[in-house]
Amino acid sequence: MAPITRLLILHKDHPQPEAMGQALVPWLRARGVDASLLPSGADSITMRAEAAASDAVLVLGGDGTMVGVARRLAGIRTPLAGMNFGRVGFLAGLPADGWERPLTDMLAGRWELERHLTLRWRILRRDADSFVTRDEGVAINDVVTAHGVVARAVSLSLHIDGVHFSTLRCDGVIVSTPLGSTAYTASAGGPLTIPSMNAQLVTPICPFAGGFPPIALPASSRIRMEACRQGDQVLLSVDGQENFPLDVGDVLEIRGVPDQLHMLVSDPNWYLRRLIDRGIVTSGPGRKENL
């Protein structure tokens, strides 16, 4: 990674990260870095233009802010880094306290660039003898198809690469990226997956008819789901931040798109270490060793 000379800072709409952003701008400019500051909720046209003109984007907030920014900037390929102001901070490599040394290393180009897959999704609705796109977008972590009412099951027909894989009666189905495997997928018993892998993870949620073990698919696989029972109130949830209704007869299509999200990391083994540090993986009894 080359040294960073222009940095876009995006802050969550909260006093603490906003104050940090305002303090960082003069600190960066004193070190020869052209810095600009925007709220993470700025309009997409401005944000994408500023990101495209920058060497990197620093996001001040929690994991939700990081995911929301990444979704809005998907495809720009300007690398993202995060400073954690949230509870878990799984995606953020910079601490809110003691950030000076790691940020200096990042600006000097001593961090590594990682490339990650995102999910492209679209909802198709029948129009006469064809289908038209009703909604479409990008997911960084996952897309979840589930009932709009808590503790109600839905019936979903699942096709993979043109093969009718299963018709499920379940609480829902999660399709996740490797980067998002530590979120809802892991809670539902899906596999933890190294983020740099180009894979899509499909995990049924509490199936009691038509269930299958979680399955990992290539990025190129075409996943198709349909709500197939009248009366089910089915919602598509994107990264837990956006919701779209899925009516009977609508078709949800999902595919993986590699190399759409770039991230800067200080440690190539950050994922494995953070699984342990954040308590997602817990150590059993016995001696701990650094291998």
Side-chain angles (χ1 to χ4, degrees), residues 25-268:
V25 170
W27 185 90
L28 290 163
R29 289 175 178 169
R31 288 156 179 80
V33 178
D34 183 10
S36 55
L37 179 67
L38 288 173
S40 61
D43 70 272
S44 293
I45 294 175
T46 300
M47 183 187 295
R48 290 177 69 87
E50 288 286 337
S54 301
D55 298 322
V57 176
L58 178 62
V59 182
L60 311 181
D63 287 335
T65 306
M66 188 81 167
V67 167
V69 166
R71 190 172 59 253
R72 298 178 70 194
L73 295 182
I76 294 291
R77 295 184 175 87
T78 300
L80 273 61
M83 182 180 289
N84 181 36
F85 286 88
R87 290 188 298 260
V88 179
F90 193 84
L91 298 177
L94 287 164
D97 296 314
W99 50 266
E100 292 89 344
R101 182 185 294 269
L103 181 56
T104 299
D105 287 342
M106 188 184 87
L107 296 173
R110 290 191 283 269
W111 283 32
E112 296 191 18
L113 180 67
E114 284 191 349
R115 296 172 172 86
H116 300 295
L117 167 146
T118 63
L119 299 175
R120 288 291 309 183
W121 62 269
R122 64 176 182 164
I123 298 174
L124 303 176
R125 175 156 290 175
R126 185 174 293 280
D127 181 18
D129 295 329
S130 62
F131 284 92
V132 295
T133 300
R134 196 198 74 195
D135 292 295
E136 61 183 335
V138 175
I140 304 300
N141 273 352
D142 51 40
V143 294
V144 180
T145 308
H147 207 290
V149 180
V150 176
R152 290 286 301 276
V154 293
S155 293
L156 299 169
S157 175
L158 172 64
H159 289 74
I160 299 173
D161 291 331
V163 175
H164 179 228
F165 194 68
S166 181
T167 298
L168 302 97
R169 187 71 179 163
C170 58
D171 283 1
V173 174
I174 308 166
V175 180
S176 169
T177 66
L179 189 66
S181 66
T182 55
Y184 199 176
T185 288
S187 298
L192 297 173
T193 309
I194 298 298
S196 58
M197 294 179 65
N198 286 326
Q200 303 176 81
L201 314 174
V202 183
T203 304
I205 308 169
C206 300
F208 63 88
F212 54 89
I215 183 171
L217 300 170
S220 59
S221 286
R222 303 290 176 135
I223 299 169
R224 169 176 163 160
M225 275 187 281
E226 297 180 51
C228 53
R229 178 168 170 168
Q230 293 287 348
D232 285 349
Q233 300 176 20
V234 184
L235 283 181
L236 170 68
S237 176
V238 179
D239 291 331
Q241 297 178 343
E242 298 178 336
N243 297 308
F244 303 85
L246 193 65
D247 296 337
V248 172
D250 288 350
V251 174
L252 170 64
E253 291 186 343
I254 304 165
R255 63 184 176 91
V257 185
D259 196 29
Q260 291 296 290
L261 169 61
H262 292 187
M263 288 178 57
L264 290 174
V265 297
S266 60
D267 175 9

